[in-house]
Amino acid sequence: MKEASKYIIENLAIAVADDHDIITEGLKCILKSGHVRHVDTFHSGQALLNAIASHPYDVYVMDISLNDIDGVTLVDEIRMRHSDAHIIVNTMRLDFLALRQMVEKNVDGMLYDSERAEELFDAIESAMNGQRYFSPKLKSYLKSELTQEIPSLREIDVLKAIARGLTSKEIAEHLFISENTVEAHRKNLFFKLKARNIADLIVKAISRGYINPTEI
């Protein structure tokens, strides 16, 4: 890390949000080891949002999802309160759909939390310089996934509805689309996931992170 960058990082106010104590404390220790003077930790999205009202931070290091607020919503809520926020996602879950949503939200950095500590400082430095940062492991993972046939977000909606046992008619009514459109999405899903039947479709969707089992 260059001396000028080190000085900037040391003087940042950084918020760390994760619902696991071991993660928040671990990240705080890493940041403190880099002489960052102001680090606050939060174990819920709402606690973080409440704090921003009176004290916006320079950098937000957050999990892909917290117990009370999903990652996409939290990113939107942070930016509503702090339009210049620098947001870095730190996750231990290789959930492609959630990661892709974070990419689409233009977060400033993404880390897989088994990476070396220096990655966190690299991500912060890149964010403060107006650049996006992806840790090598996540970059490799995303590149690998993107070479496959990826369902669209609407197809993912249909996929989740299929997993819940809804018929094509019920899915059409729920998503405000025609039954023909549902059938087209269903056909695309079977092709993209190379599934033989509904059970195989759901198993493959879960294994690739398109469906969270708790949503079924």
Side-chain angles (χ1 to χ4, degrees):
M1 188 188 304
K2 296 178 180 178
E3 197 62 34
S5 298
K6 180 179 178 182
Y7 175 78
I8 292 172
I9 288 176
E10 287 178 354
N11 288 279
L12 295 176
I14 299 178
V16 176
D18 196 291
D19 44 26
H20 296 90
D21 287 346
I22 193 169
I23 301 297
T24 54
E25 291 307 310
L27 291 174
K28 184 175 182 178
C29 286
I30 290 171
L31 292 167
K32 288 294 186 180
S33 73
H35 306 291
V36 178
R37 295 187 179 91
H38 190 154
V39 182
D40 289 339
T41 60
F42 302 90
H43 298 117
S44 72
Q46 192 56 57
L48 172 61
L49 296 176
N50 291 341
I52 296 174
S54 58
H55 182 79
Y57 295 85
D58 298 300
V59 178
Y60 300 84
V61 181
M62 53 169 275
D63 190 9
I64 205 166
S65 60
L66 301 175
N67 285 333
D68 61 335
I69 302 177
D70 69 87
V72 172
T73 300
L74 184 55
V75 169
D76 288 340
E77 292 291 335
I78 290 173
R79 286 181 171 155
M80 282 178 60
R81 293 161 172 77
H82 184 189
S83 59
D84 296 327
H86 295 292
I87 301 174
I88 296 171
V89 169
N90 179 73
T91 184
M92 60 181 177
R93 289 171 45 211
L94 291 178
D95 179 336
F96 178 72
L97 178 58
L99 292 172
R100 187 175 74 173
Q101 289 175 322
M102 292 294 100
V103 172
E104 292 171 350
K105 284 295 177 181
N106 292 314
V107 296
D108 298 271
M110 297 180 68
L111 302 169
Y112 186 64
D113 71 5
S114 64
E115 299 282 357
R116 59 190 177 86
E118 192 62 28
E119 295 283 358
L120 179 56
F121 293 107
D122 290 343
I124 293 172
E125 183 178 355
S126 294
M128 299 309 294
N129 287 326
Q131 301 171 338
R132 299 180 78 187
Y133 182 90
F134 293 87
S135 68
K137 185 174 289 187
L138 275 185
K139 188 183 295 184
S140 175
Y141 172 74
L142 290 169
K143 183 178 180 180
S144 173
E145 286 291 324
L146 289 170
T147 60
Q148 303 180 45
E149 290 281 356
I150 304 300
S152 67
L153 294 180
R154 177 53 89 186
E155 287 169 349
I156 294 294
D157 290 336
V158 172
L159 183 57
K160 290 179 179 179
I162 291 172
R164 292 197 297 269
L166 273 63
T167 65
S168 292
K169 180 178 180 181
E170 290 170 331
I171 295 171
E173 292 173 352
H174 178 67
L175 297 178
F176 303 104
I177 56 179
S178 70
E179 285 189 58
N180 286 338
T181 300
V182 173
E183 288 303 321
H185 286 321
R186 185 189 293 265
K187 182 178 179 181
N188 288 339
L189 287 166
F190 272 88
F191 173 76
K192 290 180 177 181
L193 274 68
K194 297 179 174 57
R196 300 183 300 276
N197 50 48
I198 292 292
D200 190 36
L201 181 72
I202 294 171
V203 168
K204 288 181 175 178
I206 292 173
S207 69
R208 292 178 63 177
Y210 301 145
I211 296 178
N212 186 328
T214 61
E215 297 176 322
I216 300 176

